[in-house]
Amino acid sequence: MLPIKPPGPGCYDEMLLADNQFRDHYHAYLAWLHQTDEKSIERKREEADLLFHRVGITFNVYGDGDGAERLIPFDSIPRIIPAREWQHLDKGIRQRVTALNAFLHDIYHDQRILKAGVIPPAQILTNAQYQPCMQGVDLHRNTYVHITGVDIIRNHDGEYYVLEDNLRTPSGVSYMLENRKMMMRLFPELFHNQPIAPVERYPALLLQTLRESSPVDNPCVVVMTPGRFNSAYFEHSFLAQQMGVELVESADLVVKDGQVLMRTTTGLKRVDVIYRRIDDDYLDPLAFNPDSLIGVPGLLSVYRAGGVVLANAIGTGVADDKSIYPYVPEMIRFYLGEEPILNNVPTWQCREPDALAYVLAHLEELVVKEVHGAGGYGMLIGPCASREELARFRELLKARPDNYIAQPTLSLSTCPTFVEAGIAPRHIDLRPFVLTGQELRLVPGGLTRVALTEGSLVVNSSQGGGTKDTWVMEGNPC
C-alpha cells in the first residue's frame, strides 16, 4: 500500500491521531486498503474520471477564457464521520436552520429582533439582499428556506464550526449523490460489511419537501435554470431528472390570469412550485433587473399573491450575507431560547471602526471576505498573500469597510487524499444539506470538498478544489 503522509503540526486529521495511529472509525477502511493492490486502485480512479466525463458531471468557471467545461476532481478516499459526531452535527444544523427561517419571517413582518436592538436595523434594511417587496408577504408554513447548505469546518482543536450559511441557491448536492454512486460502483466490497448511512433518498425527500411547500393538493413542481451555460447546469438537470419533474427556462414559463403557466406540447399547464436556481435580481425583469433575459415577467406579482411558491423564497440572501452571519448565535437565543450547539468562527465586522483598526493591524494573519462574495472569489488569505495583495486589500478595506468581514486563519482539518506523490493530507470542509417542509430533513453526510493544492485552505471547485464521498457510520457511537 502507498505510505500515508502524516498531517502537518497543529492539524486535526480525520483519519490519524496525533501519534499517527489510525482513528477507530477508519480501521475497516484501512484494512481494505492494506489488502488492495495499488495498481487496482489507480485503475479505479482513472475509471471514475472517465465515468464522470461520460455522465457529464462538469462545471464552468466564470471568466475562464477558454470557456471549457471542467471535471471536479474526485478523490476515492472517503471522509468518515462516526455516529456520535453526526448526531451532534445534526442537532446543531437543525437548530441553526430553524432560527434562520424564524429570522427571515421576522424581518419581513414584525421585525422584533431589530426593535429589540439585537441587530442594528440599518444592517438589515440597507442590505443589498434585503427585498422590501417581501415585507408583509405571508408564505406557506412561514418557510423561507426550503433548501439550505451549511458549510462546516473542523479546527485544530477537534471542534466543528459553522463557516457560513448558504440560503439562496445552495449547490453541490448532485456531487454528493454522484460521489456515493461512484464509490459503490467502483468499490462495492467496502459497503458490504460497514454500516454506512445512505444518501440516495435525497431526491425523493427534496420532491416531498417541495410538494409540502405548497397548499395545493398534488402541486406541479418544476426546476428553473438559467440555462446550459450556467456553472451548475449539470446539477439543475440532474435534480429535475432524479425527481421526475420538468426542467424549465424562462421561455418555458408565462404569467397569465394570476398564474404561472408552463408551455407543453399539449398546451399551457399551471405551475405551483418553482425550485429556482436563479438569483433574485434576475427572476422578474419587471420587478428587479430590467435587462434580465432569464426571468419571467410578472412572476413577483403572482408570488406575492400566493399563486406560486418559490424555493427558496425571494429575499433569503439577507440571512446568508457574511455581515449577518455573526448574529446567528443571537438569533438562536432570541427565537429559540437556546444556546447554540454549533459555534460560529470568530468574526470582525470591518464596518465597525475598532474591528477595522484591528484587521488592518493584523491583516497578514487573517482571512478577509467580501460580505456578498461566493465561490472563493474576492477573499484574502493573509498568511499566504504577497505584499502586493496585502497592500491592495488595505486600500479596499479603507475604501469600503462595510463590504468586508475578517476571520482568523483556521487550520481546517485534513484528510488523506490521493495526490501525484501518493497519499497526503489535504484540507477539507463539509456541506450538509437541510430540507425544510412539514419537518426538517437531513440525509446523513453531505458534500466534502477538498483543497487539492498542498497547504491550500480554499476548497471551492472554482479554485481547483475537489470532492470526496462522505460516510456517516450508523450504529457506531465512537
Side-chain angles (χ1 to χ4, degrees):
M1 189 192 80
L2 288 167
I4 299 178
K5 184 180 177 182
C11 280
Y12 183 100
D13 192 86
E14 301 291 333
M15 182 185 286
L16 297 168
L17 294 165
D19 58 2
N20 290 336
Q21 296 298 306
F22 296 110
R23 299 186 186 277
D24 289 343
H25 52 283
Y26 268 96
H27 280 172
Y29 175 79
L30 287 163
W32 170 86
L33 194 59
H34 278 290
Q35 298 169 5
T36 306
D37 178 63
E38 294 176 21
K39 292 183 179 179
S40 172
I41 293 176
E42 182 58 37
R43 286 195 299 271
K44 296 283 190 179
R45 293 172 63 211
E46 292 173 356
E47 183 181 348
D49 286 349
L50 180 63
L51 288 169
F52 277 134
H53 269 298
R54 188 173 297 166
V55 174
I57 307 175
T58 57
F59 72 102
N60 296 319
V61 178
Y62 295 127
D64 189 8
D66 59 17
E69 291 185 334
R70 297 186 180 182
L71 184 74
I72 295 181
F74 166 70
D75 183 64
S76 57
I77 297 179
R79 189 249 186 93
I80 304 178
I81 301 174
R84 182 175 298 166
E85 288 186 9
W86 177 254
Q87 290 165 6
H88 173 72
L89 286 171
D90 182 278
K91 290 178 182 177
I93 293 165
R94 289 172 185 271
Q95 179 194 58
R96 193 173 182 96
V97 172
T98 300
L100 285 165
N101 260 310
F103 165 72
L104 285 163
H105 179 262
D106 183 27
I107 63 167
Y108 288 118
H109 287 81
D110 296 335
Q111 300 183 343
R112 293 186 299 116
I113 199 166
L114 305 186
K115 294 170 183 175
V118 177
I119 302 176
Q123 206 152 337
I124 299 296
L125 303 178
T126 63
N127 191 294
Q129 298 299 321
Y130 173 75
Q131 296 290 0
C133 63
M134 289 297 292
Q135 197 66 43
V137 177
D138 294 324
L139 303 182
H140 188 52
R141 293 198 177 91
N142 296 334
T143 301
Y144 286 74
V145 186
H146 307 85
I147 304 100
T148 310
V150 182
D151 288 353
I152 294 173
I153 61 169
R154 197 204 296 257
N155 197 13
H156 62 81
D157 57 7
E159 294 296 320
Y160 287 104
Y161 294 84
V162 176
L163 186 62
E164 62 182 53
D165 308 286
N166 299 277
L167 308 177
R168 281 172 277 184
T169 55
S171 62
V173 74
S174 60
Y175 302 106
M176 174 190 80
L177 296 168
E178 287 296 300
N179 287 351
R180 175 60 56 84
K181 189 185 298 184
M182 186 64 67
M183 287 293 286
M184 294 182 74
R185 175 171 181 166
L186 297 180
F187 309 108
E189 65 275 15
L190 284 170
F191 294 83
H192 288 163
N193 300 313
Q194 296 191 76
I196 302 167
V199 298
E200 295 81 11
R201 298 181 302 145
Y202 181 87
L205 294 176
L206 174 60
L207 181 58
Q208 181 181 355
T209 298
L210 293 172
R211 284 175 171 163
E212 290 173 356
S213 72
S214 172
V216 175
D217 292 333
N218 194 27
C220 174
V221 177
V222 300
V223 177
M224 184 179 179
T225 177
R228 65 187 184 90
F229 295 109
N230 183 267
S231 63
Y233 180 74
F234 164 77
E235 177 155 297
H236 307 164
S237 58
F238 173 86
L239 289 175
Q241 185 271 331
Q242 291 291 306
M243 289 190 290
V245 304
E246 294 294 334
L247 179 70
V248 300
E249 298 183 27
S250 60
D252 301 314
L253 301 177
V254 62
V255 168
K256 185 177 180 181
D257 299 329
Q259 299 178 339
V260 177
L261 305 174
M262 171 174 56
R263 294 184 173 92
T264 74
T265 55
T266 58
L268 295 176
K269 179 180 179 180
R270 174 171 171 164
V271 173
D272 302 298
V273 180
I274 300 175
Y275 177 21
R276 51 99 171 207
R277 299 300 295 262
I278 297 175
D279 289 341
D280 289 355
D281 285 347
Y282 301 97
L283 274 175
D284 182 347
L286 298 183
F288 303 111
N289 185 343
D291 296 325
S292 173
L293 300 178
I294 57 175
V296 181
L299 178 60
L300 177 63
S301 63
V302 179
Y303 180 56
R304 282 173 49 87
V308 70
V309 172
L310 295 178
N312 289 337
I314 291 173
T316 56
V318 69
D320 73 6
D321 186 288
K322 292 179 178 63
S323 69
I324 305 304
Y325 158 89
Y327 296 104
V328 177
E330 291 304 320
M331 294 178 198
I332 293 170
R333 297 183 182 101
F334 186 82
Y335 296 113
L336 308 183
E338 301 170 357
E339 284 301 307
I341 295 170
L342 295 174
N343 290 321
N344 272 19
V345 175
T347 302
W348 291 272
Q349 299 206 57
C350 297
R351 65 169 61 232
E352 299 172 0
D354 290 347
L356 176 62
Y358 179 87
V359 171
L360 290 173
H362 298 83
L363 195 57
E364 65 280 358
E365 305 167 14
L366 303 173
V367 175
V368 180
K369 302 177 182 179
E370 286 184 321
V371 295
H372 305 308
Y377 296 105
M379 65 185 291
L380 172 84
I381 300 180
C384 302
S386 66
R387 290 183 179 179
E388 291 76 13
E389 289 172 319
L390 289 169
R392 183 171 68 86
F393 259 81
R394 287 183 195 281
E395 295 307 313
L396 291 171
L397 283 164
K398 291 175 182 177
R400 284 287 312 278
D402 60 315
N403 196 42
Y404 295 93
I405 63 164
Q407 296 171 330
T409 307
L410 300 182
S411 179
L412 277 65
S413 65
T414 59
C415 187
T417 301
F418 279 109
V419 295
E420 289 186 8
I423 301 177
R426 292 293 185 265
H427 293 290
I428 59 173
D429 77 351
L430 176 67
R431 178 177 290 182
F433 295 90
V434 189
L435 299 171
T436 306
Q438 289 183 357
E439 60 186 69
L440 267 69
R441 305 178 178 99
L442 283 79
V443 294
L447 177 66
T448 290
R449 301 183 296 179
V450 53
L452 295 174
T453 302
E454 184 174 4
S456 174
L457 299 173
V458 182
V459 298
N460 306 80
S461 58
S462 56
Q463 306 292 311
T467 64
K468 289 175 172 284
D469 191 13
T470 308
W471 294 1
V472 172
M473 309 305 286
E474 293 184 316
N476 175 5
C478 297

